């Protein structure tokens, strides 16, 4: 269906895919292609409103639900303050639909929202139940309740999206100040003991012949390079420089989360494994970890890491289960595993906090500190289990003990008397 001249159009480019187009400076421009005709029309209207008025001004009675839908449309079309294109827009739409729209906050007028409302929303959000996506063949993916609350990371992500939406309301003078500016997630203390692999578990995983060699190579690269799953899929053969003397063997990768190039040093234990893997690739391969047809894997493929549950099919155990490691570790936790072992010095010299931050490409050092604090907890356990030590004090003279007592303010200790 087409609109009047110079006002844009929406047409079906193929079954189930709708394209919105406009005319800019006499040339046709595609705004995007969506799976729903209604979304395509909404995006077109948002673009036309932006052109006609310079900004979209919401009426006094607009609710957060409708204002948020318009804000997400503008965000997809025109980007954010930081960048022209928001790559996580689909994730933000999903979070908004699942966690904001069902809440009482979504029914409030934007102008009436205060800090107490956002605090109440955060409390409600904390009690939300997490779901897992289960594939059901041709019928698609369904969400299955897990029986546990959503994670603190999801809560922070939802509040961040809400905060950015209300920032836009402030910019449009619908609010004087952002009521979500000071609201933070206060989850229960996390257990830092069970979300990383120990050294013996890493060796068991990487040497397990029940796992395909290709998958084990991916796990080794994830641990040795501290890369996220989707960043690993984007590594190209030309980006792996194992023969460089300066600055040494490294991998250049474009971080999808921040859209910037990051250089990662290749640890000595990973270098021969990576070299053998590259030599085994078919000639002309572009990707370091390609599919059988040479193309890149889709976003949701995890190289057999997590357990798979599909209707009508037997449950496929996770990689750790097949390797005999009785732990539940996410693929993303391999990144934390790397940081923890670097801080502990498991593979040689213990790295400093700043060095680990650069390795993991963290913008905020506080993110890296969480891994280092976990390592310090492990060091404290090791210290408690180290019972031996040099026999000092028993041969000290009385004068030595009196000097020590004067310095500390305590009575001299009589070694060997139980004091």
């Amino acid at each position: 269906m087409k609109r009047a001249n110079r006002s844009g159009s929406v047409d079906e480019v193929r079954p189930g895919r709708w394209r919105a187009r406009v005319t800019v400076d006499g040339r046709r421009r595609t705004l995007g292609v969506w799976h729903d005709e209604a979304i395509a029309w909404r995006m077109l209207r948002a673009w036309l409103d932006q052109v006609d008025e310079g900004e979209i001004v919401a009426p006094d009675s607009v609710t957060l639900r409708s204002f948020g839908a318009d804000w997400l449309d503008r965000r997809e079309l025109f980007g954010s303050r930081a960048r022209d294109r928001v790559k996580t827009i689909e994730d933000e739409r999903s979070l908004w639909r699942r966690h904001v729209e069902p809440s009482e906050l979504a029914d409030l007028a934007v102008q009436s929202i205060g800090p107490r409302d956002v605090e109440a929303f955060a409390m409600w959000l904390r009690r939300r139940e997490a779901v897992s996506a289960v594939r059901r063949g041709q019928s698609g993916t369904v969400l299955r309740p897990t029986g546990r609350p959503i994670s603190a990371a999801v809560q922070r992500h939802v509040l961040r999206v809400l905060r950015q939406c209300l920032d836009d309301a402030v910019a449009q003078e619908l609010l004087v100040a952002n009521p979500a500016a000071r609201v933070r997630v206060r989850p229960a203390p996390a257990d830092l003991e069970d979300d990383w692999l120990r050294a013996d578990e890493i060796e068991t995983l990487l040497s397990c012949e029940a796992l395909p060699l290709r998958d084990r190579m991916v796990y080794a690269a994830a641990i040795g390079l501290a890369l996220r799953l989707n960043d690993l899929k984007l590594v190209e053969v030309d980006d792996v420089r194992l023969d460089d003397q300066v600055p040494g063997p490294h991998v250049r990768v474009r971080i999808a989360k921040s859209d910037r190039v990051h250089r990662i040093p290749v640890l000595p234990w990973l270098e021969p494994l990576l070299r053998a893997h590259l030599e085994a690739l078919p000639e002309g391969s572009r990707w370091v970890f390609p599919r059988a047809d040479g193309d890149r894997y889709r976003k949701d493929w995890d190289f057999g890491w997590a357990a798979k549950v599909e209707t009508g099919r037997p449950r496929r155990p996770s990689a750790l289960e097949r390797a005999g490691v009785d732990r539940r570790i996410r693929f993303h936790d391999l990144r934390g595993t790397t940081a923890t072992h670097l801080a502990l010095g498991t593979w040689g010299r213990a790295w400093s906090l700043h060095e680990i931050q650069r390795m993991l490409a963290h913008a905020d050092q506080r993110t890296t500190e969480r891994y280092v604090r976990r390592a310090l907890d492990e060091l404290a356990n090791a210290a408690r289990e180290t019972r031996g030590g040099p026999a000092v004090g028993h041969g000290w003279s009385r004068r030595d003990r009196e000097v020590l007592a004067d310095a500390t303010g305590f009575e001299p200790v009589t070694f060997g008397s139980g004091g």
Side-chain angles (χ1 to χ4, degrees):
M1 178 178 177
K2 296 185 179 295
R3 294 168 57 119
N5 188 30
R6 305 185 71 81
S7 62
S9 64
V10 171
D11 52 356
E12 190 175 18
V13 292
R14 60 179 182 273
R17 302 292 290 176
W18 298 85
R19 176 181 62 184
R21 305 179 73 194
V22 294
T23 301
V24 180
D25 297 331
R27 303 181 65 178
R28 298 291 283 172
R29 170 188 169 189
T30 299
L31 297 180
V33 179
W34 294 272
H35 59 81
D36 192 332
E37 184 181 8
I39 295 178
W41 278 111
R42 195 168 72 238
M43 300 296 286
L44 177 60
R45 285 193 294 269
W47 191 90
L48 293 173
D49 289 342
Q50 184 79 12
V51 171
D52 294 340
E53 302 178 17
E55 63 178 1
I56 300 175
V57 180
D60 293 339
S61 60
V62 68
T63 63
L64 178 64
R65 178 179 286 103
S66 59
F67 181 84
D70 289 340
W71 171 74
L72 287 169
D73 291 345
R74 298 196 302 274
R75 190 169 172 81
E76 182 170 354
L77 285 172
F78 305 106
S80 64
R81 297 178 184 177
R83 50 185 62 90
D84 293 334
R85 179 169 173 258
V86 179
K87 292 189 174 182
T88 59
I89 188 64
E90 288 302 324
D91 293 337
E92 294 177 2
R93 286 188 183 277
S94 176
L95 288 172
W96 190 270
R97 285 193 303 267
R98 171 149 180 80
H99 298 296
V100 179
E101 290 186 353
S103 69
E104 295 181 356
L105 187 70
D107 296 324
L108 297 180
V110 173
Q111 293 89 337
S112 67
I113 297 177
R116 289 186 179 181
D117 300 313
V118 182
E119 285 283 3
F121 170 74
M123 292 290 292
W124 172 84
L125 186 65
R126 197 176 306 168
R127 297 188 294 269
R128 294 278 286 168
E129 185 178 16
V131 297
S132 60
V134 179
R135 293 184 194 165
R136 288 192 171 174
Q138 299 296 330
S139 60
T141 303
V142 297
L143 300 179
R144 174 180 295 176
T146 61
R148 63 178 186 273
I150 62 176
S151 66
V154 173
Q155 296 177 50
R156 284 192 292 268
H157 198 173
V158 173
L159 285 176
R160 181 166 60 248
V161 172
L162 175 63
R163 193 177 300 118
Q164 291 170 339
C165 176
L166 295 178
D167 274 339
D168 192 67
V170 173
Q172 295 193 29
E173 300 183 357
L174 298 176
L175 290 167
V176 176
N178 191 333
R182 297 181 179 273
V183 179
R184 294 293 183 269
V185 174
R186 291 190 293 272
D191 183 5
L192 299 179
E193 292 298 321
D194 291 326
D195 60 352
W196 59 289
L197 291 175
R198 278 43 173 190
D200 59 331
E201 293 172 333
I202 295 175
E203 293 180 6
T204 300
L205 173 68
L206 299 185
S207 61
C208 177
E209 296 183 358
L211 300 173
L213 180 60
R214 177 210 59 182
D215 292 348
R216 282 185 282 157
M217 186 61 226
V218 173
Y219 307 153
I223 295 172
L225 300 175
L227 279 176
R228 300 175 182 88
L229 176 60
N230 287 319
D231 291 335
L232 266 176
K233 299 174 188 174
L234 292 174
V235 177
E236 301 186 17
V237 173
D238 293 340
D239 294 329
V240 181
R241 311 288 179 83
L242 298 180
D243 296 323
D244 284 12
Q245 298 299 319
V246 179
H250 66 276
V251 174
R252 291 174 57 86
V253 59
R254 182 173 293 278
I255 305 298
K257 196 172 183 180
S258 60
D259 196 25
R260 60 191 176 94
V261 176
H262 177 52
R263 189 182 68 207
I264 305 173
V266 177
L267 298 175
W269 67 263
L270 178 63
E271 181 181 347
L273 301 178
L274 200 54
R275 191 182 298 275
H277 172 75
L278 293 176
E279 292 175 354
L281 287 176
E283 186 177 357
S285 294
R286 176 184 177 185
W287 309 103
V288 174
F289 301 109
R291 297 189 315 194
D293 60 0
D295 202 356
R296 180 163 57 93
Y297 279 98
R298 62 181 185 269
K299 184 177 181 181
D300 59 345
W301 181 253
D302 65 354
F303 299 95
W305 179 261
K308 293 293 186 295
V309 180
E310 298 184 23
T311 302
R313 296 185 180 182
R315 177 183 181 276
R316 193 190 76 179
S318 67
L320 288 178
E321 289 178 287
R322 284 177 283 167
V325 179
D326 187 18
R327 304 278 298 284
R328 183 180 180 274
I329 302 291
R330 303 173 303 165
F331 194 98
H332 188 74
D333 291 332
L334 297 181
R335 182 170 161 85
T337 295
T338 309
T340 303
H341 284 291
L342 292 177
L344 287 171
T346 305
W347 302 318
R349 181 177 69 88
W351 289 33
S352 68
L353 176 64
H354 180 64
E355 290 169 336
I356 298 173
Q357 180 188 2
R358 292 178 60 190
M359 176 78 171
L360 273 65
H362 283 156
D364 192 340
Q365 196 174 79
R366 288 174 296 183
T367 306
T368 314
E369 285 175 356
R370 289 202 292 269
Y371 299 125
V372 175
R373 186 159 52 244
R374 174 170 54 197
L376 293 178
D377 291 342
E378 185 70 10
L379 286 175
N381 294 334
R384 281 192 292 269
E385 296 172 0
T386 306
R387 302 298 183 182
V392 295
H394 295 282
W396 289 0
S397 67
R398 177 178 294 276
R399 177 58 182 166
D400 292 333
R401 295 197 294 272
E402 289 175 353
V403 171
L404 178 63
D406 292 339
T408 59
F410 292 100
E411 291 296 326
V413 177
T414 302
F415 295 97
S417 63

